[in-house]
Amino acid sequence: MRHLFLIAVAIILASQLTIASAKASGAEQVYKFYCAQCHGLTGKGDGPNVTKDFPVSPRNFTNAAEMNKLSDADMRNVIMDGGPSASKSPMMPPWGKTLTDAEVNGLIKHLRTLCQCKGKQG
Amino acid sequence: MRHLILATLSTVALFAATTMATMGAANASAGGDVFAAKGCADCHYTQGPAREKTIDDQLAKKGPELWYAGSKFQKDWLGKWLTDPKPIRPMKFGSLTVENPADHPKLSGGDVAAVTDFLMGLTSADVAAGKVKPKKNPKGRQIFSKKMPCSGCHQYVGRKKKIMGGRSGPSLVEAGVRLNPDWILAYLQKPKVFKPVKMMPVFVGLLSDKDMLNVSRYVANFKPKKKKK
């Protein structure tokens, strides 16, 4: 009986752990699926689309100095509406019709962990 | 007498038509058997509608879905590709780091026609026929390489016949011989039907129907380089 109880507790704990880690990996998975093809898996701007003839370098998300120039709102705009909305290259796609609000919020947080920077406030 | 001849002729015609139809159907069903026997179904699903709901679902797939193959591909291309499957996606399916290993199973002999018939029979009612006439057009070109990032993710034949463009999407270098022009438009207009979860952005609401038509006509006009003789 005691064993059974312990096993049950262990199972419950384990399942909660996986739920927690699934949530935590959400934003990272979204990043790797949609953004890494250009910005690279680790955010260095070196995804498989960036060949010699790619016209502009996708932002290197690990460059804190550059990333600090952007507020969270700036990031949201460019992610939703694409490069031209911020006078940047159209090679940065508009994702507003593809991603949910929650996914975009998650991405902004994820980019902040990649740059380890807080960004321009306001 | 004249009637008799007419009657015989029409019976013969009818007979020929039905045998041809049943032969076609028989070939397609034989093709379905080959498809199962050769393990093709391990990596490709052939029954719609689209099953992918999450990124995990999409990443779990070992090959592209084929349930609308008959609406997507051109028959001539399909038959040739099944005998000699050259890479379509520059990268390995589902990977951003590994190149396409170019190791797709090949078919030969009678299996080719049978599987081609089977796959060409898998159509989707969501593709309207006769809408997209392939044509080079400046508006389509503008969208493809300037206004929208299509060229950032897809290879195409650029100036001086050079293959240019991004590598995360399927190559469009042969789009004009590989894809049904009408399917390209349907794919852009109805992302939920064909690809509910994909790495390509949804352009509905960003490109007008007219823009989508122009860019589809432009892409449907891509032809591979002619081999020098």
Side-chain angles (χ1 to χ4, degrees):
Chain A
M1 184 60 204
R2 185 124 162 265
H3 276 175
L4 218 66
F5 177 74
L6 274 179
I7 290 172
V9 169
I11 290 174
I12 290 168
L13 274 178
S15 65
Q16 298 226 307
L17 271 178
T18 38
I19 291 169
S21 61
K23 268 196 193 134
S25 74
E28 187 178 351
Q29 186 186 46
V30 170
Y31 174 83
K32 286 186 172 160
F33 190 69
Y34 295 105
C35 318
Q37 48 189 325
C38 293
H39 291 279
L41 285 167
T42 56
K44 295 211 175 75
D46 56 354
N49 281 331
V50 188
T51 57
K52 283 197 302 320
D53 38 60
F54 200 84
V56 267
S57 317
R59 172 73 65 236
N60 176 349
F61 294 139
T62 62
N63 182 334
E66 281 299 316
M67 291 300 285
N68 252 331
K69 294 181 189 160
L70 298 173
S71 69
D72 287 3
D74 293 338
M75 284 210 224
R76 176 183 311 279
N77 278 342
V78 81
I79 296 171
M80 298 290 280
D81 297 332
S85 72
S87 316
K88 298 274 156 132
S89 163
M91 285 297 139
M92 166 61 197
W95 295 98
K97 306 284 174 193
T98 310
L99 303 173
T100 63
D101 276 351
E103 285 171 328
V104 175
N105 290 339
L107 280 172
I108 294 172
K109 284 212 186 81
H110 186 69
L111 299 191
R112 290 290 176 220
T113 55
L114 290 176
C115 72
Q116 306 198 322
C117 68
K118 288 214 163 59
K120 204 172 74 187
Q121 299 304 306
Chain B
M1 185 58 200
R2 198 135 151 250
H3 277 176
L4 209 72
I5 294 179
L6 269 181
T8 338
L9 272 181
S10 51
T11 332
V12 170
L14 195 74
F15 180 73
T18 31
T19 16
M20 264 158 71
T22 36
M23 266 169 63
N27 211 17
S29 103
D33 295 343
V34 175
F35 195 86
K38 296 270 176 183
C40 312
D42 293 351
C43 301
H44 300 287
Y45 73 93
T46 49
Q47 255 172 336
R51 294 182 193 166
E52 308 80 19
K53 295 204 166 51
T54 62
I55 294 177
D56 281 328
D57 295 344
Q58 172 70 3
L59 294 178
K61 280 157 53 182
K62 291 192 266 172
E65 67 289 345
L66 294 174
W67 62 269
Y68 50 84
S71 299
K72 174 173 178 176
F73 300 118
Q74 296 189 24
K75 190 173 178 182
D76 284 351
W77 173 85
L78 184 57
K80 281 188 204 127
W81 189 81
L82 290 173
T83 25
D84 183 17
K86 299 243 167 59
I88 300 163
R89 292 154 188 78
M91 308 305 291
K92 185 177 156 92
F93 192 75
S95 171
L96 293 181
T97 47
V98 183
E99 299 281 313
N100 189 326
D103 59 355
H104 195 274
K106 284 189 175 83
L107 288 177
S108 56
D111 288 351
V112 177
V115 170
T116 304
D117 280 348
F118 165 65
L119 290 174
M120 289 311 290
L122 306 174
T123 55
S124 159
D126 276 292
V127 181
K131 294 228 161 170
V132 183
K133 307 228 168 4
K135 191 172 191 304
K136 211 171 179 167
N137 66 90
K139 290 219 174 86
R141 186 195 139 106
Q142 179 80 5
I143 295 164
F144 189 84
S145 35
K146 296 249 161 64
K147 204 171 144 204
M148 286 294 171
C150 318
S151 62
C153 301
H154 291 287
Q155 290 185 330
Y156 63 103
V157 179
R159 277 202 286 149
K160 295 191 183 150
K161 305 270 179 226
K162 201 177 144 227
I163 293 183
M164 326 237 310
R167 297 163 53 81
S168 66
S171 167
L172 296 177
V173 167
E174 295 200 347
V177 293
R178 186 169 88 94
L179 302 174
N180 169 8
D182 290 317
W183 178 83
I184 301 176
L185 178 62
Y187 182 82
L188 291 172
Q189 285 178 332
K190 300 174 185 170
K192 291 229 167 65
V193 172
F194 299 104
K195 292 276 179 183
V197 186
K198 62 173 179 313
M199 288 153 58
M200 171 164 150
V202 171
F203 290 103
V204 179
L206 297 171
L207 287 175
S208 67
D209 282 346
K210 191 120 214 221
D211 285 344
M212 284 192 183
L213 181 63
N214 285 330
V215 77
S216 301
R217 296 179 71 192
Y218 181 69
V219 169
N221 151 76
F222 290 167
K223 295 272 159 68
K225 254 196 308 209
K226 287 211 184 69
K227 283 199 194 82
K228 281 194 201 108
K229 284 192 192 121

